[in-house]
Amino acid sequence: MRVLHRASPWRELFAGDGEPEPAALLAPLRAALDELGPSPDLPTAHAWQLRLVEALQRLDLPAWRISQLISDHNDLLYRRAIQLSLNEMQGQGWGSPPVAFCVLTLGSAGRHESLLAPDQDNAMIVADYPDARHSEIDGFFQALGERFTTRLDEAGIPLCNGHVMARWPMWRKRLSEWCEQLTLWTRERRVKRVQQSNILLDFHPVFGDANLADALAGHVAQLMPRAGLFLDEMAQLLDELPVALDRFGRLSGDDEGAPHENALNLKRQGLLPLVNAVRLLSLRHGVRVPDTRRRLSALVLKEALTARQARAGIAALDRLQERLLTEQSINLKAGGAADGWIDVARLEDDHRLLLRHDMQAIRSLVRLAQGSTGR
């Protein structure tokens, strides 16, 4: 019932059901795993992620790779939480799952671009079944969704404040219902539906029958060429997260919720505009890979971007992830929060210039994405 992610040797690190064997690993990672122990519970395993990041930084892994491995480790915690919930239900007389299902991670988790301390964004696809069995079958999966999301919350991956979780009917549907819902969402130009789609469309199968996720991805690919009004609204919504530059091209935050006068929300005004613009371009040009780095490369093959534009976008993504990961690690060690804020005053002059350059590259991609819809 599990789904494994196969890619580079690093991506095999947390692909199994347990923590990797320390013996075959490089010294910093081996030491970190020795500290964790062979059979940690979910809260212990999640709390260990800061130690994991420290070990990977000592190995000089780039921030984008560390972000992938944080996401992979969270996938492992998801698989454990779901399996523990299924075992508990079996012991309480619920029996086995009545039909096939697939749990999806969404957003940054679905793109494998998580940094430290993300909350939960997940959904569930259930194989089609007769309406007459709805109470029986949906009751099973509602119980499963409530149990595994509660376990993750108790482990330190908090429940989503926006209720984007498989414990709620909105995010737990039969495959045919998901397809019908997306057909309806993409037919019209409605802000809420586009916002919900922005969350849903970056998904990854983390547990269960991945064929269900493949079928949904195929349906999305069929819908998008005809979804002009929907993509227009997606382009319009890019204006709601302005890149952190003023009209003269200088670094400038919007100050919304800023903890101090030199604070800039690098996630809200840098990373998210980049991710959203690249998603829009990818939907427009039929790119099906879920992560931003590969989307940028694929857009070159689709002749939607030049190689130079893609390189600039990838470089900006890499540096923003590195800056955020560094800031989050510092804050967590000091007992603070792993959020999206950075202190611009603490940046060296060359780092400030690079950040400004990256923001300009992101703004160019946003404008290109908006122009691609004919807006």
Side-chain angles (χ1 to χ4, degrees):
M1 293 299 294
R2 57 194 170 92
V3 176
L4 303 184
H5 184 99
R6 300 289 183 185
S8 74
W10 280 110
R11 303 300 298 280
E12 296 294 314
L13 193 60
F14 301 114
D17 285 336
E19 305 292 347
E21 291 294 330
L25 301 174
L26 297 171
L29 195 51
R30 185 168 63 246
L33 282 162
D34 283 340
E35 290 179 23
L36 179 63
S39 301
D41 58 22
L42 288 174
T44 301
H46 181 261
W48 172 79
Q49 282 187 355
L50 182 57
R51 181 71 180 86
L52 169 67
V53 169
E54 292 174 345
L56 296 173
Q57 288 173 331
R58 287 187 61 192
L59 292 170
D60 289 329
L61 259 67
W64 65 267
R65 179 65 82 193
I66 295 175
S67 175
Q68 287 180 336
L69 294 176
I70 293 171
S71 303
D72 288 347
H73 190 252
N74 284 332
D75 283 357
L76 172 60
L77 301 185
Y78 262 84
R79 293 196 299 272
R80 285 186 184 172
I82 296 167
Q83 191 61 61
L84 285 169
S85 299
L86 286 170
N87 293 347
E88 179 182 75
M89 291 175 69
Q90 182 86 31
Q92 292 175 350
W94 287 82
S96 300
V99 294
F101 72 100
C102 184
V103 175
L104 309 174
T105 53
L106 310 177
S108 62
R111 296 189 304 272
H112 285 91
E113 294 169 1
S114 294
L115 299 175
L116 291 166
D119 63 359
Q120 293 184 48
D121 285 317
N122 54 68
M124 187 186 298
I125 309 173
V126 180
D128 288 331
Y129 55 81
D131 289 344
R133 297 187 63 194
H134 179 74
S135 295
E136 166 208 348
I137 293 178
D138 188 62
F140 180 97
F141 290 113
Q142 178 182 346
L144 175 60
E146 290 172 351
R147 290 169 194 240
F148 85 75
T149 54
T150 297
R151 277 190 161 86
L152 290 172
D153 180 53
E154 292 170 348
I157 306 178
L159 298 173
C160 174
N161 289 331
H163 305 297
V164 182
M165 293 173 291
R167 65 192 295 149
W168 302 107
M170 174 75 179
W171 300 96
R172 183 186 69 251
K173 300 180 188 296
R174 287 174 280 188
L175 176 61
S176 59
E177 291 172 324
W178 276 117
C179 292
E180 181 181 359
Q181 178 168 292
L182 276 169
T183 299
L184 292 173
W185 280 1
T186 57
R187 216 175 255 167
E188 298 176 311
R189 183 171 182 160
R190 295 198 181 180
V191 172
K192 187 65 176 176
R193 289 176 176 176
V194 175
Q195 290 171 331
Q196 291 166 334
S197 298
N198 274 336
I199 299 169
L200 175 63
L201 291 173
D202 295 345
F203 63 81
H204 173 73
V206 73
F207 190 104
D209 185 351
N211 292 321
L212 294 168
D214 290 342
L216 184 60
H219 184 70
V220 170
Q222 290 179 346
L223 287 175
M224 287 306 155
R226 304 188 298 273
L229 291 175
F230 173 84
L231 295 177
D232 285 348
E233 187 60 37
M234 190 175 285
Q236 183 72 39
L237 285 177
L238 291 175
D239 291 334
E240 294 194 355
L241 291 173
V243 178
L245 294 171
D246 63 17
R247 62 193 182 94
F248 300 108
R250 300 172 300 198
L251 286 175
S252 176
D254 63 9
D255 297 330
E256 183 182 334
H260 52 80
E261 65 175 334
N262 295 314
L264 188 153
N265 196 316
L266 200 59
K267 178 179 178 180
R268 189 176 72 236
Q269 290 199 265
L271 198 57
L272 287 179
L274 172 59
V275 167
N276 291 346
V278 173
R279 180 192 304 110
L280 174 54
L281 284 167
S282 298
L283 292 172
R284 174 71 179 81
H285 293 281
V287 171
R288 292 182 62 169
V289 292
D291 60 284
T292 306
R293 287 176 63 87
R294 285 194 298 161
R295 281 173 170 172
L296 282 161
S297 297
L299 285 165
V300 177
L301 298 177
K302 296 282 188 177
E303 299 184 347
L305 293 178
T306 66
R308 182 176 181 179
Q309 288 171 321
R311 284 196 301 270
I314 290 171
L317 176 66
D318 292 353
R319 283 191 284 262
L320 263 58
Q321 287 178 313
E322 180 179 10
R323 176 60 53 192
L324 279 168
L325 192 58
T326 299
E327 198 80 12
Q328 288 182 345
S329 298
I330 292 170
N331 290 346
L332 285 174
K333 289 174 189 175
D339 53 29
W341 294 99
I342 65 165
D343 187 344
V344 179
R346 282 172 30 195
L347 296 179
E348 299 291 340
D349 288 345
D350 57 338
H351 289 168
R352 192 178 293 108
L353 285 171
L354 264 178
L355 181 56
R356 179 181 174 186
H357 172 79
D358 290 338
M359 290 296 180
Q360 289 169 339
I362 293 168
R363 186 161 68 179
S364 295
L365 284 170
V366 168
R367 288 172 175 171
L368 181 65
Q370 290 179 320
S372 74
T373 65
R375 173 176 174 270

